[in-house]
Amino acid sequence: MSDTVTGQQTRQLEVLVRVSSLLSTLDLDRVLNEVLRLTTEVVTASRGSFFLLNDQGRGLTLQRFLSERNYNPEMKEYVSERILHEGLAHWVLINKDAAVVDDTLIDPRWITLEGETRGARSALCVPFFFEDQVYGILTLEHPEPYHFMESDKRLAKAVANQASAAMRNAQLFDRTQEAVLNSTTEALFTIDQWGHLGVINPAAEEVLGVAARDFVGLSIDLLADENSLMTNILIAIREANLTVGTQSFEVTDARTRRDFVVSVSVMNQDQRQDGGSVVALHDVTSLKDLTRLKTHMLQMASHDLKNPLGVLLGYLDMLREDAQSGIVPAAQFIEGMLRAVDRMDELIKTLLSQERIDQQSTMRHQKINPYALLDSVLDDTRDNAQAMQHTVELDVRENLPMLSGDPVELREAMNNLIGNAIKYTPMGGTITVRM
């Protein structure tokens, strides 16, 4: 008997020492989980839960809710609200004292929640104090009545006293960390070693389209079920199987059509245990758009330069033939070459315009005079039409409204349209342009 008592006392002292060692730990979730685990073990409870209260602002607010039950966000909010305002935790909060429930079936302070399949028959509830204010409530359960003794209550209170400083330090550090995270525009969130969502800043909430209060502490898979971007991130993380260091990869959010570079860094608590990961999302949509725009501009320029370059080469061939025959070059040939060179010069200036490249596609739209646009296209294609001895007839309505669009792209589209008509109309045919 004495050996058993000595063993229990030794175990209790070990727990108190381990709780004291948490003072050097600033990870709030780790401190809370360790306190809950150690207390549950030392009083031989079957399971437990912990409410960490927030003393900032007015009224009672919940900062953390730890429970072995895997509640969904709605149920989590309902359970915490009801227990803190009606249940045993409410009694402890009001009376600022620990409480033992010998039999939950007859004690009115105990609330049995709907859908409970493994009900508790006895319970132990202990407050955690800081400057005489309750900021944490630990509840332990057991499936048999009269399980917890007064000695268990004294021990749980001793653990609470010992853990209060460590928990308060971690809580203050968590608030500082939260303030830093909230002030950064980069989307950041953490995943713990069990695959649960830890910290998430407002920028990440906006990117993922979720509220932190609904998913913090829950499995990251639940978030992935709600969000396609998170699904892609989770797949990439698992495929990488990262155990140390940092790795980056690109993902696209189909919902918002935004591009991100995702950086995942492994957090090591020590040399033996993985401490989870920090995930940062860098929005590179503007850079991707710029790259796509530059590629489009290069493709458009190479295509657009073909027409005036072809006209210029055709005139040069005719000038060479005339020069070999001693014929003075016709003025229309020179005028045609000048128009072709002007057209190429305009395209090159457009391509090299940094202001144009930096603008979004919607910003490139301008008001365009349809008659001026048609005149410029007819000038571009006149020489090719004359070379084919085509007659170009115009059927243009009066008082056409101004167009809205990219003048370069519209001019190129009309050039292609009339150019194809010149190309596929037989020699000496008629081309009608209606607008």
Side-chain angles (χ1 to χ4, degrees):
M1 178 71 177
S2 60
D3 291 341
T4 302
V5 173
T6 302
Q8 289 176 345
Q9 292 175 342
T10 301
R11 175 58 181 153
Q12 292 170 4
L13 288 173
E14 287 177 354
V15 168
L16 292 175
V17 169
R18 293 185 65 178
V19 169
S20 298
S21 68
L22 292 173
L23 246 143
S24 60
T25 303
L26 295 177
D27 184 338
L28 180 58
D29 290 317
R30 186 182 179 190
V31 171
L32 294 176
N33 279 291
E34 191 69 4
V35 169
L36 180 59
R37 185 184 67 81
L38 290 172
T39 314
T40 301
E41 287 181 3
V42 77
V43 299
T44 63
S46 60
R47 63 186 178 188
S49 61
F50 195 97
F51 294 104
L52 182 65
L53 307 179
N54 197 338
D55 58 0
Q56 292 182 320
R58 297 180 178 178
L60 181 66
T61 58
L62 185 65
Q63 185 178 356
R64 292 282 202 286
F65 174 30
L66 275 65
S67 175
E68 294 180 15
R69 300 173 177 88
N70 193 19
Y71 292 124
N72 60 40
E74 293 79 10
M75 191 63 181
K76 186 177 182 180
E77 183 177 357
Y78 166 75
V79 169
S80 59
E81 179 78 14
R82 187 170 179 199
I83 292 178
L84 281 174
H85 289 83
E86 300 178 30
L88 181 60
H90 176 72
W91 187 94
V92 169
L93 180 65
I94 297 300
N95 292 276
K96 296 185 177 181
D97 194 11
V100 173
V101 172
D102 292 326
D103 191 342
T104 59
L105 296 182
I106 59 177
D107 195 315
R109 296 174 298 179
W110 186 259
I111 293 177
T112 300
L113 299 171
E114 295 82 353
E116 286 284 354
T117 57
R118 188 164 60 100
R121 286 296 305 275
S122 56
L124 169 61
C125 194
V126 182
F128 284 63
F129 291 98
F130 180 76
E131 296 181 350
D132 199 37
Q133 293 297 318
V134 178
Y135 74 94
I137 300 174
L138 172 68
T139 304
L140 303 171
E141 303 173 13
H142 197 275
E144 296 178 0
Y146 296 95
H147 175 77
F148 298 108
M149 305 290 111
E150 281 297 316
S151 58
D152 294 323
K153 184 169 78 169
R154 288 194 298 271
L155 178 58
K157 291 174 71 173
V159 170
N161 292 334
Q162 201 79 358
S164 287
M167 291 176 61
R168 188 62 178 177
N169 287 344
Q171 187 180 32
L172 293 174
F173 179 77
D174 186 71
R175 288 177 183 168
T176 303
Q177 188 181 46
E178 183 179 357
V180 174
L181 287 173
N182 290 348
S183 65
T184 182
T185 57
E186 207 72 59
L188 297 169
F189 63 90
T190 63
I191 304 173
D192 65 22
Q193 60 265 43
W194 299 286
H196 297 155
L197 183 65
V199 178
I200 177 171
N201 71 346
E205 290 184 87
E206 185 274 326
V207 167
L208 297 175
V210 300
R213 66 179 180 274
D214 293 337
F215 289 96
V216 167
L218 298 182
S219 171
I220 202 73
D221 291 302
L222 293 175
L223 179 54
D225 291 341
E226 301 285 334
N227 187 280
S228 60
L229 175 59
M230 193 65 228
T231 302
N232 295 336
I233 294 173
L234 197 56
I235 291 172
I237 290 175
R238 287 173 175 169
E239 287 179 350
N241 195 25
L242 192 63
T243 57
V244 66
T246 302
Q247 185 165 327
S248 298
F249 46 86
E250 294 186 8
V251 296
T252 299
D253 185 0
R255 179 177 60 90
T256 60
R257 296 184 180 180
R258 293 163 70 182
D259 299 293
F260 298 92
V261 171
V262 180
S263 299
V264 182
S265 300
V266 173
M267 299 185 296
N268 289 321
Q269 293 180 349
D270 50 47
Q271 298 299 317
R272 304 180 303 275
Q273 185 177 359
D274 174 20
S277 304
V278 176
V279 182
L281 282 74
H282 312 277
D283 192 337
V284 295
T285 306
S286 59
L287 294 176
K288 286 284 188 179
D289 286 344
L290 182 59
T291 300
R292 286 189 283 262
L293 177 58
K294 287 181 176 178
T295 301
H296 172 68
M297 291 291 289
L298 288 172
Q299 292 173 342
M300 186 178 70
S302 62
H303 185 272
D304 289 0
L305 286 171
K306 287 181 180 179
N307 285 338
L309 187 59
V311 171
L312 183 60
L313 289 174
Y315 281 125
L316 286 173
D317 282 339
M318 288 186 284
L319 286 176
R320 182 173 58 186
E321 292 176 2
D322 288 348
Q324 290 173 351
S325 304
I327 301 174
V328 177
Q332 68 181 39
F333 293 167
I334 298 174
E335 289 295 327
M337 287 190 293
L338 286 174
R339 285 196 300 271
V341 170
D342 287 342
R343 175 67 177 139
M344 287 189 288
D345 181 60
E346 180 184 349
L347 289 170
I348 291 171
K349 285 180 180 178
T350 301
L351 177 64
L352 297 179
S353 173
Q354 187 62 43
E355 180 181 359
R356 178 180 174 80
I357 292 177
D358 287 341
Q359 290 176 336
Q360 298 292 336
S361 60
T362 55
M363 297 296 292
R364 298 201 310 267
H365 285 202
Q366 302 174 14
K367 292 294 183 181
I368 304 167
N369 187 319
Y371 303 106
L373 176 63
L374 179 59
D375 288 342
S376 63
V377 172
L378 293 175
D379 285 341
D380 293 341
T381 57
R382 179 177 292 111
D383 298 320
N384 287 339
Q386 290 176 353
M388 295 290 291
Q389 299 178 11
H390 290 153
T391 299
V392 178
E393 296 182 353
L394 300 180
D395 182 8
V396 181
R397 289 170 52 193
E398 296 182 356
N399 301 320
L400 287 173
M402 296 290 283
L403 302 177
S404 177
D406 187 315
V408 174
E409 292 188 357
L410 283 173
R411 182 170 177 174
E412 179 56 27
M414 293 180 68
N415 268 325
N416 289 338
L417 184 63
I418 297 178
N420 286 335
I422 294 171
K423 182 178 179 180
Y424 295 108
T425 299
M427 180 75 72
T430 298
I431 298 172
T432 302
V433 178
R434 292 188 178 90
M435 188 171 72

